[in-house]
Amino acid sequence: MGNLRKPNSNDATQTFNRSKSVVPMSGLCTRCVDGCRGNCETFKSSFRGREVLYPGPFGEITAGADKDYPIDYSHLNIQGYAVGAIGMPEDMVPGPETARFPNVSTDTEYGWDKKVKMKVPIFTGALGSTEIARKNWEHFAIGAAISGVTIVCGENVCGIDPELKRGSDGLLTESPEMDRRIELYKKFYDGYGEMLVQMNVEDTNLGVAEYLSSKHEMDTIELKWGQGAKCIGGEIKVKELDRAIELKKRGYIVTPDPELASVQEAYKVGAIREFERHSRLGFVTEEGFHAECDRLRDLGFKRITLKTGAYSMAETAMALKYSSDAKIDLLTYDGAPGGTGMSPWPMMEEWGTPTFYLQSLVYEFAEKLKSKGKRVSDLAMAGGFSTEDGIYKVLAMGAPYFKAVCMGRGLMIPGMVGKNIGKWLEEGDLPKTISEFGHRKEEIFVHYEELEERYGSEIDDIPLGAIGIYSYAQKTKVGLQQLMAGSRRFNTSTLSRKDLMALTEEAAKVSGIAYVMEAYRDIAEEILDG
């Protein structure tokens, strides 16, 4: 097996090697020339320092790590069958005229007691305080609402709101940015999915939960332990010195320190062009977790969800056990390497338990909890998914515990594409990849007329980015229907681990999924011996 990652240069950090000959372990050119004009990470770090840690430019990109792990979901294949049809409606007799793939239900639901239904088993990653989330929120929120899936509003949205107002006790009294986000989602909400807000240490101290409960009567709130992209708190960048000082005074970690005279001088001369705002590390205890869940329920929240990251086996077990005891409504595990609006690139590449391994562990632990008579919270998996085959594999490999897949960049990209199509239409600058389908939105978007019939004159209030997300969700739904019909599974709840086969013995060992040369062998032998 070769190196799993090429260090020291990547498009994410806008760096590259001068030479095609590169030392595998260090990522340095085999022949490093005195006088080289760049532009590997070592070269760029020599004058831009800490800036090179982050993908960029901030606010214009999302980044996904590209470490090629030994085992991933491509090491599984989906089983296909020539007989049967499981999970069809009770009033429908299975047969060639009824067992058609459009009749497959991709609906799913999650929740301990009060269920949330979704039309497709996907939901967004946490779209929080990054600039890419803020400026595209209307596309993301309305797109999720009309697609019937949940959207997660991430951490620190209130804390960085320029128009934030606090009372004499320091607690939040007004956040126009949070209000805007909630109102945009509610405008097109039709009973499927939900908007839930994520909360970290700073959000708790600011009183975000109290604000959401009292002003907006939100049903669900999400606690955050971590994510797949990084093992530290959330981050953004700000370009203005005054803004950096303001965020520091609000209690955030801001680097470099904007109140230092040397830093202010470096900013004045143009050497320092941006500041980083960081969140604190959380400290999880079982007692503290249960106390916080009780507090949130006392505030009126009907559902509490938990998002955790690619931590060690111990924290993986803690999240599952604590969630079971606290009756958490949805527990999302986010595996490495993860995607981000801003996370340290070396951390994205090199930390944490990869998604495939993490889900395998979670399934193993869920089975152990069940064997002890415990109920397992509904689960979701995140960490590098963008297509329906990945969704199928997660639901089947994690059956019956996993109900959905959390998608970060996979659901963001259609929103940005749709938004930019609108911009290019206004400018008369459509790229050929789009103009080949027409020069009007009605021609370009295959679902436009469908949505216009559904919403009438309100279609004018639906941004094209939202239509982009809807189009992507429909492609995902139909693709999933086709895969499920091939496995004769007509409802997501009927998917099972037997509907997968491991293509390598290593994947079989890690996941417990039957190796391709052993899957269904017992039944095959019975047929041959009959």
Side-chain angles (χ1 to χ4, degrees):
M1 182 181 295
N3 284 51
L4 305 182
R5 174 202 173 203
K6 178 187 172 187
N8 198 42
S9 68
N10 196 283
D11 185 52
T13 54
Q14 301 176 86
T15 55
F16 55 86
N17 287 88
R18 174 193 57 78
S19 172
K20 293 181 180 180
S21 300
V22 177
V23 179
M25 189 169 132
S26 68
L28 297 171
C29 296
T30 55
R31 188 173 66 97
C32 188
V33 178
D34 185 357
C36 172
R37 293 177 176 267
N39 191 39
C40 71
E41 289 183 7
T42 301
F43 176 93
K44 193 173 181 180
S45 301
S46 304
F47 53 98
R48 295 313 299 172
R50 63 188 298 139
E51 287 182 5
V52 186
L53 288 171
Y54 300 97
F58 175 76
E60 299 178 28
I61 60 100
T62 63
D66 58 1
K67 189 168 185 176
D68 191 7
Y69 296 114
I71 306 173
D72 63 19
Y73 292 84
S74 70
H75 291 228
L76 302 179
N77 259 25
I78 296 167
Q79 293 278 9
Y81 312 115
V83 296
I86 302 172
M88 297 189 72
E90 292 182 4
D91 60 350
M92 193 174 288
V93 179
E97 295 304 315
T98 56
R100 303 175 179 182
F101 81 79
N103 288 335
V104 171
S105 172
T106 61
D107 288 5
T108 191
E109 62 180 18
Y110 63 84
W112 193 273
D113 292 319
K114 300 176 177 64
K115 299 290 187 180
V116 175
K117 294 183 178 181
M118 297 195 297
K119 293 182 179 179
V120 190
I122 57 175
F123 60 96
T124 76
L127 304 166
S129 57
T130 61
E131 181 63 12
I132 204 83
R134 184 201 64 79
K135 69 182 184 182
N136 290 298
W137 179 261
E138 66 170 334
H139 305 279
F140 298 154
I142 296 174
I146 65 177
S147 300
V149 301
T150 290
I151 186 169
V152 182
C153 179
E155 59 193 342
N156 295 312
V157 171
C158 296
I160 71 157
D161 188 347
E163 299 179 52
L164 169 75
K165 292 183 180 179
R166 294 188 287 182
S168 58
D169 56 3
L171 296 181
L172 170 66
T173 60
E174 188 174 340
S175 175
E177 174 60 17
M178 180 60 77
D179 297 344
R180 177 185 78 94
R181 294 195 182 199
I182 293 171
E183 288 161 8
L184 278 169
Y185 178 77
K186 283 185 174 181
K187 185 174 182 180
F188 286 92
Y189 172 71
D190 68 353
Y192 285 84
E194 65 175 337
M195 174 179 166
L196 56 88
V197 178
Q198 197 177 79
M199 195 170 64
N200 66 3
V201 175
E202 284 81 7
D203 294 317
T204 302
N205 295 338
L206 188 59
V208 170
E210 291 82 349
Y211 183 77
L212 294 171
S213 177
S214 62
K215 181 169 183 177
H216 294 288
E217 298 181 342
M218 298 285 284
D219 288 336
T220 311
I221 195 161
E222 180 161 281
L223 298 173
K224 181 178 181 181
W225 284 10
Q227 64 188 89
K230 56 179 171 277
C231 196
I232 56 176
E235 304 151 313
I236 63 168
K237 288 187 177 184
V238 295
K239 294 183 180 297
E240 300 81 17
L241 177 63
D242 290 345
R243 179 79 167 130
I245 293 173
E246 177 187 34
L247 291 177
K248 183 183 177 184
K249 289 181 177 178
R250 288 185 182 179
Y252 284 107
I253 302 165
V254 180
T255 56
D257 188 341
E259 294 184 317
L260 290 178
S262 59
V263 170
Q264 293 183 4
E265 183 61 26
Y267 178 82
K268 182 179 178 180
V269 301
I272 292 177
R273 301 176 183 180
E274 53 192 9
F275 298 86
E276 304 156 19
R277 185 237 66 201
H278 297 267
S279 298
R280 288 166 175 75
L281 296 174
F283 280 73
V284 178
T285 66
E286 186 170 9
E287 181 180 348
F289 178 73
H290 288 296
E292 179 65 357
C293 289
D294 291 340
R295 183 183 78 88
L296 293 173
R297 290 192 174 105
D298 288 342
L299 286 174
F301 289 101
K302 298 176 182 177
R303 286 180 293 271
I304 301 172
T305 64
L306 174 64
K307 169 78 172 292
T308 190
Y311 294 123
S312 79
M313 195 180 294
E315 282 83 358
T316 299
M318 285 166 55
L320 197 69
K321 174 66 163 54
Y322 296 0
S323 292
S324 173
D325 293 340
K327 299 181 179 180
I328 290 298
D329 292 272
L330 181 68
L331 168 57
T332 301
Y333 283 92
D334 191 4
T340 187
M342 180 184 168
S343 294
W345 184 247
M347 182 172 282
M348 289 180 67
E349 294 275 57
E350 297 296 342
W351 99 279
T353 307
T355 307
F356 185 89
Y357 301 81
L358 184 59
Q359 190 186 7
S360 299
L361 279 174
V362 174
Y363 175 81
E364 177 188 340
F365 293 168
E367 286 284 279
K368 181 164 286 190
L369 273 187
K370 181 182 177 182
S371 70
K372 295 178 179 293
K374 294 278 190 178
R375 177 176 167 182
V376 178
S377 294
D378 288 338
L379 304 176
M381 202 70 216
F385 301 102
S386 67
T387 57
E388 54 276 2
D389 53 289
I391 298 167
Y392 182 110
K393 292 174 183 179
V394 166
L395 298 183
M397 181 170 144
Y401 308 108
F402 284 82
K403 309 300 183 182
V405 168
C406 173
M407 287 186 176
R409 300 201 305 154
L411 274 169
M412 294 174 72
I413 292 168
M416 294 186 286
V417 171
K419 174 197 70 175
N420 287 317
I421 289 174
K423 175 174 174 286
W424 295 326
L425 280 169
E426 290 180 3
E427 298 171 350
D429 187 31
L430 284 175
K432 291 182 179 180
T433 50
I434 297 168
S435 64
E436 64 174 301
F437 299 101
H439 291 81
R440 298 183 303 118
K441 59 187 178 183
E442 294 86 352
E443 298 173 306
I444 294 168
F445 289 94
V446 71
H447 292 285
Y448 189 90
E449 300 294 343
E450 170 194 338
L451 291 170
E452 186 173 37
E453 180 180 351
R454 177 175 162 188
Y455 291 103
S457 60
E458 286 188 304
I459 188 69
D460 294 330
D461 296 328
I462 299 178
L464 293 186
I467 296 177
I469 290 175
Y470 181 83
S471 302
Y472 174 84
Q474 291 305 299
K475 174 262 183 185
T476 301
K477 176 180 178 178
V478 173
L480 185 57
Q481 287 177 316
Q482 293 170 341
L483 290 171
M484 290 175 62
S487 294
R488 308 301 176 108
R489 303 292 186 254
F490 282 77
N491 189 297
T492 54
S493 64
T494 62
L495 290 170
S496 77
R497 288 167 60 83
K498 288 185 177 181
D499 298 325
L500 298 174
M501 62 185 107
L503 301 180
T504 64
E505 292 179 333
E506 291 87 349
K509 180 180 179 181
V510 169
S511 67
I513 297 295
Y515 180 48
V516 60
M517 300 307 293
E518 298 301 327
Y520 286 106
R521 178 175 287 276
D522 54 343
I523 297 176
E525 294 289 356
E526 287 181 11
I527 293 171
L528 294 172
D529 292 338

